[in-house]
Structures are given as structure tokens and as C-alpha cells.
Amino acid sequence: MALVALWAAPAEAQLAVAADPSTEELERAKEERALVEWIRLGLAGFYFRGTKLVGYGSRKPYHGIAGGLDLTVARFPIQSTPWFGFEIDFRFGGVTLDNDDGPDICLEGAALVAPARWRGAWPGSFTLGLGGGVSRARPVWLPTAVQAYPLALARLRLWPSRVVSLHAQWRFTPVTTDLVDDLLVQNHEVEVAVGWKALLVAARCRIDEVTGGDPVRTYRGVGCGPFVGVALYL
Amino acid sequence: MMRKGMLALLFALAAGCSDPVPEPPATTASRPPRTLTLSVELRSNGGLAQVFAALREGFEALALGGGDALFFAPVGGEEQVLTKFDDRYIGQTMTGATDFEVTLARGADRFTGAVALPPPFALSGPAGPVSRAQPITVTWDNVGDTYDTSLEIGGECLTYPIWRVFETDPGTFAVQPADLAVEPGLVSCELTVEVTRQSEQTGFTPDFAPESVADTAQIRTVFIATEP
Amino acid sequence: MRAPTAILLVVLAGCAPEVEPISENVSSRDLRIDVIASDEGSGATAKIELDSVFGLLRLTGGDTLRVTMADAALPLREAETDRGTVYVAEFEALTEDLLVDLQRPNDRDPRQIALVPPPFTLTAAGISGAEPLVIGWDADPGEHELSLGLTGKCILPIARSLAQDVGFYSIAQAELLHTDPGAAARCPLTLTLTRTGTTQSDLNEGLGGWFYARTVQSRTVEVSWSP
């Protein structure tokens, strides 16, 4: 497996600029970009349950469902700096909590860095990201309708064969604008996916934790659900 | 010719489409007195008698019409005409009499109802100021149990008045200190004690409908100054 | 609500989480404590309810309820009612104010006093001749309501609110309205005098929650007639 180390890249990039890239080199660059770039579109659903804050600091169980369209674009467009890229994620759907329902919209962006890409028997990549987003409040029972937040992500991809791909992702929000209401909101989202050619099927789970109220408690919610869509590796 | 006819038709239609003229109130004109229900309310404080009279057909209050007039007088005394007030006719006279007549005059014809007050009585209380820490006794003439007797204790200094209805006429009542809800902060308080002896008479006049009714009452009041 | 969502929720209704009415899930600031205490002269009871948006709460999570009168703790037992769990104390007499103290390891400890009107002895001489019914009790001009009730098979019941607690009252025989106007009213009568104290206050010094107490002292005597 040839690991393309981040510290070796600048020298190789300079050599590449010095002479016109050959067809083979162009093919290789394209394959390496495919390890980290994609456009993914699909439908996701969630069933979630947990406890929510009511009144000044009382705790009440809840459950609900959410679902909708999910579009992700990850690109590493600058050839001179192939390690750095960006991602945009847009989700649009609906959510129902107990007997209350409404739209569920989310727009996120992140700067990506892919410190490791390898070829060989199981080509793959490891990507890290830092960014932020704006969305319908999560968990949806929070008093504010909209929240903004920073986020961090890590993604591992493997291709056991030319048509089968495996993906694992962890996404973390450490704090949101709900801090203004003395509520510390954090969420973790984990996704494991299997792809066959362009078809992608994933399982997602998310944990929401809200700390606040009087007395101070942590209100936890867990949701899981499927994702089905298509992925284009650019 | 055609144009004049069309104009006439248009005016006729316009007249029909305008707001309806309200019907005049029903009156006693031309209605036989035996179909009229006479309602009389008569009260006296021993020196002034007040009357409220109304004529109805079914549930409908009637205004006097067609030259009809209502009169009121103590028996053998001077007659006075009753004045309209809302849907009733009212009047008062300075008298201590107990027997009265209410008369509907229609031209030369007169239709009369005789109305009798309960017997008069005197009400007395202690000369003030008296202490509210002890019962305050009022007394009146007891004439037996033919009439309904009730008592009310009021005054601007009380948060709420007190009513008592008696099974029999006791001729006396002791106002209990525990019953007096005097406004906080007040020291002196003038109580008003009112005793009412009342009676209801039905079918009291053959000239009007059998449903005719007379409610009569003798009312006496004393004022008692009190202190804690 | 869109149809597919509604259908899914109906299907998932069986999975709806149950709300447990337990005290550890409710903040002291979201709590209402209701105290109903009464003494009819032959034993007293006090009932305490911890009310919330989830209904009446059962004490859990280390929360304990303590009710003391004259520095002595009243023994409380848990009882189930239609509305939920209540805490009941049965004791000899309601003589002084009740201190209600909810101790919570993970929250504020609300502490309130339920004011109790003083106990009294009620006396009523029998009715004889044409004399009125004379009633006596231990006077107390405190912050409580006083009411009187007189019932008997042969009279229309009398219910009066007394404005002053002066310790004496009388009811004339003419005030007893007969149920059968033709008959003489000579049936045994039951006289009840009641002092009711009410306390209402914020449970947590202006931070939320509510405290309500109704404390009742009532005494009853039978009244007989003699010629």
C-alpha cells in the first residue's frame, strides 16, 4: 500500500509542476481525488427518544421521527494543495416530536484536510474537517427554533473492490448558540455505510445531550435510522 | 306612456325595498279589561305609599292607549293619575292608609282593583351609639303569622349586608356581633335595620283577569349608631 | 400533520415513553405542595400532595418529606388515590402550625409553614320554650374564616359565614324555617362550627413553585329541645 504522506507532498508537487503530467499521472491524481471527493444524495430517516427539559428543570420523556433529503458535496479542488478541501451538507425534511411537527432544515460547511490517502489492495482515505452550521434546533424540543454551531468530523473510507466501498464517519458539535439560554447542547453523529457502485446504504445514530435547567441535569436523546442514496465519486 | 309606467314601477319597488317601519307597541285600547292582567306592587313606610302598576296580556306589557288612564287612591281619598315609567305606571301619595284602589278609566267606564297593605307597625331600636361587642336588639309590633316577615341589616360601613327570613313573626331580633362585617379600619358605624312585612294577593279584582296579583309590603327602618 | 407522518406515529404509539410521576424528575421550582389538615375534635389528619405537570408525585431519588408540629415530627405514610400518591399523617390533635420540609439531595429544599387556626370547645344549650339557641366557643380574632352550620330533618339547613370570631352567637327560633310549614320543628339539630385557615405562598422565595395549605378546626354538637 503506497501511503501518500502529507510531508512528502510538496516536493512531489513541485516535481509534477516542473514537467507536464503524463496520462498515467493524471489518472493517478484522479483516482486519489476519488478517494476523498464525492457528491452524495439520498433519503434519511430517524426514530429518536430521550428526555427533555420542561418548566424550570423537570424531565419528561419524548419520542419522535425525522426524515428527509440529504445532499453532501465534498471537494478538494486545488491541485496544488490536494490535501485541503471543503464540504457542504444540506438536509431538508420534517420532524415530529410527540404531537408537534415542523420542517427540519440544516446547512453545514467544513474545511477538510485529508492527511492520508493510500492505494493498494484496499485503497482508502482518512479525512478530518472543521466547520460550522445552522439548523433547526437539535434536539427539536429546545426553546429556540434555529441554532448555529461549530462542528468537527472524521471520515474513513475503504474500497475492498472496485465496486464495493465502506465508509465510517463521526461528526461532533461541541456547543451551540443555545448557550445564550444557559443550555449546553452537544451532539455526536456516527454513520456506517456500504456502497455498491453508486448505490449507498448507511445506518446513522445520533446522541443529543443538553445540560442545563435548575437543578442542572443532562437531558439525553438517542436516534437511529437508515440512509439510502447514490454517491458519485468524482 | 311606457316610460311613466316603468318609473312608477321602479318607485313602487324601491318603496318595498326600504327598511320596514317598526310596529307601534301594543296598547290597552279596545281590549276588554277581563283579558288584562293587572299587576300591582304597593309599599308603605307608614307615611308615604308608593305604587307600581302594569297591565299585561299574556306576557306582553301593554301601554295605555285609546284614551285609557290608570289612577291610584287610598279608599275615600283623592285620586291621582299614574305616570308611565318603563313598562309600568307609578305614583305615590302621603298617607298612612292601608286600603287602596287602582282604577283603569276608559271613557265613562271605570274598572277597579282593591289592594290592602299588611297592618302597619312601629320598629324601634336602642338609642346610639351602642357597642358592637354585644347583641343589638330591635323590636316591632307582632301581629301574628298571616304575613311574611323579613329583616335586613345594612350600612355603608358593612362589607356585606345581612338578611333574615322568619318562619314566624318574632316581633324582636338581636343583631349578633359575629354577623357584623365592618370594613377594616372603621370605628363608628351606622347600621340600617329594615323590617318588612309583606303579603301577596291573587284574584283580588273581578274587573280584571283572574291572574292579576298584588304584592304589598309595610317597611320600617331604624338607624343605629354603633361603636366598637 | 402530513398523512405519512401521522400513520407512522400511530404505528409508533405503542412505543410512546411513559411519564413516571416521581419526584426526582421534577424541579422544586416546578412543584406545588398542597396541605389539607383537619381536626374535628376526636383526632386529626394531615394530607400532603406534591403536584406537578406529571400529576401527584411519589418521593424517589433520596427526596424525603418531613412535617413537624411543635417540634415533633408527624409520622407520614404513603397512600394511593385516583390522582396519584399522597402522604398522610394521623395524630391526636391539630394544635399548632405545621412546618412542611421537603429535603432533596439534588435540588432546593422547600420549607413552608401552614398556619393553623387554634382549636376550641363548642357548647350549645338546648332550646327550650321560646328561647333562642345560644352557642359558645373559645374566641380568637385570628386570620381565619369562621362558619356555622345547623341541620335537622325538620328544618331547612342554615349555613352562615360569621364575620367576627367573638366566642358567642344565638339563633332565634323564628329563624328556623320548617321543611313542613304546618308542623312544629322539634327535631334534634346538629350544630357545627368551623375555623378555616388558608396559607398561600411562593414555594421557593420568588423562584417558582407554589405552596397552598387549608387547615380546618371543626366541632359538632347535638342540640335537643325541651318544653
Side-chain angles (χ1 to χ4, degrees):
Chain A
M1 178 168 70
L3 186 69
V4 182
L6 183 60
W7 57 86
E12 288 193 18
Q14 285 169 15
L15 275 176
V17 166
D20 287 341
S22 65
T23 306
E24 189 183 328
E25 282 167 345
L26 283 173
E27 260 316 301
R28 180 178 292 184
K30 189 178 168 188
E31 282 178 5
E32 285 178 0
R33 280 210 307 279
L35 293 174
V36 293
E37 291 185 338
W38 67 355
I39 296 177
R40 186 178 74 165
L41 176 67
L43 289 171
F46 259 111
Y47 170 70
F48 53 89
R49 59 195 287 147
T51 56
K52 63 180 179 179
L53 169 66
V54 293
Y56 287 105
S58 300
R59 178 167 52 199
K60 187 181 179 188
Y62 68 91
H63 76 155
I65 53 176
L69 205 65
D70 188 340
L71 170 66
T72 304
V73 175
R75 292 277 284 150
F76 287 74
I78 304 173
Q79 291 190 8
S80 58
T81 53
W83 314 103
F84 301 103
F86 69 90
E87 175 168 307
I88 296 175
D89 187 19
F90 176 68
R91 301 183 187 183
F92 179 80
V95 59
T96 296
L97 177 80
D98 295 333
N99 290 323
D100 211 5
D101 64 353
D104 187 15
I105 303 174
C106 168
L107 178 64
E108 293 174 351
L112 301 178
V113 61
R117 277 181 263 200
W118 59 90
R119 298 193 341 259
W122 283 37
S125 68
F126 182 67
T127 305
L128 297 169
L130 276 177
V134 175
S135 74
R136 167 86 184 251
R138 289 172 181 177
V140 73
W141 55 260
L142 288 169
T144 51
V146 174
Q147 65 186 189
Y149 45 86
L151 63 88
L153 64 88
R155 185 182 300 133
L156 174 68
R157 288 178 172 177
L158 295 170
W159 271 260
S161 75
R162 285 195 70 78
V163 296
V164 174
S165 60
L166 300 173
H167 310 258
Q169 173 174 294
W170 168 75
R171 183 186 150 287
F172 171 57
T173 302
V175 71
T176 70
T177 46
D178 297 285
L179 212 54
V180 170
D181 295 325
D182 292 327
L183 294 172
L184 175 63
V185 179
Q186 299 183 320
N187 34 57
H188 299 260
E189 192 175 290
V190 173
E191 180 184 301
V192 174
V194 174
W196 183 75
K197 295 187 181 175
L199 177 67
L200 195 72
V201 175
R204 268 185 200 163
C205 280
R206 189 173 85 214
I207 298 173
D208 298 317
E209 289 190 339
V210 179
T211 303
D214 183 3
V216 175
R217 300 186 212 260
T218 296
Y219 303 85
R220 200 167 280 113
V222 177
C224 290
F227 169 90
V228 177
V230 293
L232 301 176
Y233 304 97
L234 304 172
Chain B
M1 192 67 179
M2 278 286 288
R3 189 177 293 177
K4 280 187 185 171
M6 287 298 293
L7 277 171
L9 182 61
L10 269 170
F11 275 122
L13 284 171
C17 294
S18 61
D19 289 339
V21 175
E23 285 188 26
T27 70
T28 57
S30 307
R31 293 177 201 252
R34 280 291 292 173
T35 66
L36 304 178
T37 300
L38 175 63
S39 302
V40 175
E41 189 184 321
L42 176 64
R43 57 192 187 198
S44 169
N45 65 2
L48 176 72
Q50 292 177 330
V51 68
F52 303 80
L55 287 164
R56 288 184 167 75
E57 192 167 69
F59 293 110
E60 188 180 13
L62 303 174
L64 292 172
D68 290 350
L70 271 173
F71 293 90
F72 160 70
V75 169
E78 189 180 335
E79 218 172 44
Q80 60 166 276
V81 66
L82 297 184
T83 311
K84 193 173 192 306
F85 183 77
D86 287 340
D87 59 353
R88 296 196 291 179
Y89 291 83
I90 64 174
Q92 64 183 31
T93 184
M94 301 295 295
T95 180
T98 58
D99 296 306
F100 294 81
E101 288 177 336
V102 176
T103 303
L104 173 68
R106 175 175 290 171
D109 296 324
R110 296 174 69 82
F111 307 93
T112 300
V115 184
L117 285 165
F121 62 95
L123 172 66
S124 63
V130 295
S131 169
R132 292 193 294 275
Q134 295 300 324
I136 302 169
T137 302
V138 294
T139 55
W140 60 91
D141 313 320
N142 178 347
V143 295
D145 299 325
T146 312
Y147 305 97
D148 297 328
T149 308
S150 60
L151 176 145
E152 179 178 341
I153 304 157
E156 286 185 7
C157 54
L158 294 182
T159 307
Y160 51 84
I162 303 153
W163 287 284
R164 296 285 181 262
V165 175
F166 300 113
E167 176 74 27
T168 56
D169 188 343
T172 183
F173 183 77
V175 179
Q176 299 296 305
D179 279 331
L180 296 175
V182 178
E183 293 275 2
L186 289 180
V187 173
S188 59
C189 171
E190 184 179 71
L191 298 179
T192 306
V193 180
E194 183 178 280
V195 174
T196 302
R197 177 175 286 152
Q198 60 196 69
S199 158
E200 183 183 277
Q201 302 154 40
T202 53
F204 67 98
T205 165
D207 288 351
F208 294 91
E211 297 78 32
S212 298
V213 62
D215 286 314
T216 61
Q218 292 275 12
I219 303 171
R220 300 293 184 272
T221 306
V222 291
F223 300 92
I224 304 172
T226 70
E227 58 189 15
Chain C
M1 191 184 286
R2 296 175 185 82
T5 308
I7 291 168
L8 268 170
L9 273 182
V10 167
V11 169
L12 290 169
C15 310
E18 272 189 31
V19 175
E20 269 195 288
I22 53 177
S23 65
E24 62 189 276
N25 283 344
V26 179
S27 164
S28 291
R29 295 174 68 182
D30 296 325
L31 202 58
R32 176 186 162 115
I33 298 181
D34 289 331
V35 177
I36 310 292
S38 66
D39 183 350
E40 294 181 355
S42 56
T45 58
K47 182 177 75 167
I48 295 93
E49 296 178 350
L50 305 174
D51 206 353
S52 72
V53 290
F54 308 136
L56 298 187
L57 304 174
R58 182 166 46 84
L59 291 169
T60 58
D63 295 341
T64 55
L65 181 65
R66 200 172 138 85
V67 179
T68 51
M69 184 178 72
D71 295 327
L74 301 177
L76 286 172
R77 62 176 174 85
E78 202 173 278
E80 291 301 318
T81 68
D82 298 343
R83 295 176 52 227
T85 305
V86 300
Y87 294 87
V88 180
E90 281 142 349
F91 48 103
E92 199 176 316
L94 185 61
T95 55
E96 297 198 31
D97 295 344
L98 299 175
L99 173 63
V100 180
D101 188 0
L102 179 62
Q103 294 162 349
R104 316 189 74 181
N106 302 311
D107 202 340
R108 299 162 196 282
D109 298 337
R111 205 165 193 254
Q112 295 290 334
I113 294 175
L115 299 174
V116 172
F120 59 93
T121 302
L122 177 64
T123 58
I127 306 178
S128 64
E131 294 302 308
L133 169 62
V134 175
I135 304 163
W137 68 91
D138 312 299
D140 187 279
E143 292 292 316
H144 53 261
E145 293 169 8
L146 187 65
S147 62
L148 178 147
L150 187 65
T151 58
K153 280 188 185 168
C154 57
I155 64 164
L156 297 179
I158 289 177
R160 288 184 190 165
S161 179
L162 302 184
Q164 312 284 347
D165 192 336
V166 294
F168 62 90
Y169 195 76
S170 71
I171 299 177
Q173 289 195 33
E175 296 179 67
L176 305 179
L177 303 181
H178 306 168
T179 50
D180 180 1
R186 287 288 184 270
C187 59
L189 304 178
T190 302
L191 173 71
T192 303
L193 192 69
T194 304
R195 276 183 183 150
T196 304
T198 303
T199 308
Q200 295 190 82
S201 63
D202 186 278
L203 188 61
N204 295 286
E205 297 166 359
L207 294 176
W210 194 246
F211 179 76
Y212 171 81
R214 184 166 62 90
T215 52
V216 175
Q217 297 277 9
S218 77
R219 302 292 184 273
T220 299
V221 293
E222 301 298 319
V223 178
S224 59
W225 295 80
S226 56

